Amino acid sequence: MACLHDHSCEDHDCSSNWSLYKHIDLPQVSALNEAVHGSVKSVFKAWEQRLDSSGEYLESNEGDPELLVYIPFTSDVKIKSISIVGGTDGTSPSKMRVFTNRDGIDFSDVQSMQAVQEWDLVENFQGVLEYQTRYAKFQSVASITLHFPDNFGGDTSRIHYIGFKGEATQLKRDVVATIVYELMPNPSDHKTKAETGGGFSQVE
């Protein structure tokens, strides 16, 4: 299911407030079969800049349109929708398969793995189309891997923007640990967990 933006974004969940861009662990983002090493990082940008194509873009190697993009997050997130802005002249990806919380997978792995969800994509040059997730399956996502097996006939695949909408579920784990340590009651303070709010259940 896709969401066409024929409404005022300020009145819906498609505003920048729902963008997960700031929760992407950008230094750890990677791609397989990218023509220019590290170019995948350029496709992640603020929602307002999704149509800015003046910089780099992600492109597959000549004659091989398949791409595999790995995106870890700095905290667990809930993903409501995914937006892809591809290239022109048949270079936009035509299909997307998604895997969550699977680190280090490659092309041979994804051929035999069941995707969490799959979409047939359309050419989306204006960034006005979002693909809605099966939200219940995207609740505690530490990392997401996007598999683009083919395109619309181009010799390479190009992606200018990848965006996620949703919400972060918790702070960074190291920050949470520090906060909890500072908030832990004094050993001589015998308040029960209920009285102190019991707010440490998410800490691992």
Side-chain angles (χ1 to χ4, degrees):
M1 187 173 111
C3 169
L4 275 172
H5 287 189
D6 55 356
H7 51 248
S8 170
C9 287
E10 287 74 20
D11 299 329
H12 291 73
D13 293 344
C14 47
S15 70
S16 59
N17 294 334
W18 285 88
S19 172
L20 293 174
Y21 165 68
K22 61 182 177 293
H23 298 288
I24 294 174
D25 190 358
L26 197 59
Q28 302 303 317
V29 169
S30 62
L32 296 182
N33 198 39
E34 60 179 342
V36 178
H37 180 69
S39 61
V40 65
K41 294 178 173 61
S42 69
V43 307
F44 299 97
K45 59 193 81 171
W47 186 82
E48 297 86 352
Q49 298 174 322
R50 67 194 182 284
L51 299 182
D52 178 11
S53 58
S54 59
E56 292 182 276
Y57 51 82
L58 172 62
E59 185 171 25
S60 68
N61 283 302
E62 191 81 14
D64 185 359
E66 193 171 17
L67 285 166
L68 191 65
V69 181
Y70 170 74
I71 308 108
F73 296 95
T74 55
S75 63
D76 287 352
V77 298
K78 301 177 181 180
I79 300 176
K80 301 178 64 165
S81 66
I82 303 172
S83 179
I84 307 292
V85 177
T88 57
D89 300 322
T91 61
S92 287
S94 60
K95 186 169 186 173
M96 177 172 63
R97 306 173 69 232
V98 171
F99 307 87
T100 57
N101 301 332
R102 299 297 296 265
D103 297 348
I105 58 178
D106 57 24
F107 288 119
S108 60
D109 295 323
V110 297
Q111 299 301 329
S112 58
M113 292 169 55
Q114 179 70 40
V116 176
Q117 192 169 350
E118 301 184 14
W119 291 265
D120 289 323
L121 306 181
V122 300
E123 293 176 294
N124 176 31
F125 306 130
Q126 301 303 316
V128 296
L129 187 66
E130 295 179 357
Y131 297 94
Q132 307 297 311
T133 65
R134 297 190 186 105
Y135 196 43
K137 295 180 178 291
F138 289 81
Q139 290 296 298
S140 298
V141 180
S143 68
I144 189 169
T145 301
L146 309 180
H147 179 217
F148 303 99
D150 208 350
N151 62 17
F152 288 94
D155 198 42
T156 63
S157 290
R158 290 184 185 179
I159 297 175
H160 292 275
Y161 171 79
I162 297 176
F164 302 98
K165 295 291 178 62
E167 56 186 312
T169 58
Q170 60 184 44
L171 297 169
K172 291 182 182 179
R173 296 181 188 280
D174 54 346
V175 175
V176 172
T178 302
I179 293 174
V180 169
Y181 177 79
E182 293 173 351
L183 293 180
M184 286 295 285
N186 186 296
S188 62
D189 184 351
H190 296 292
K191 286 184 179 180
T192 66
K193 187 173 183 180
E195 290 172 323
T196 56
F200 312 124
S201 60
Q202 290 188 349
V203 178
E204 299 176 1

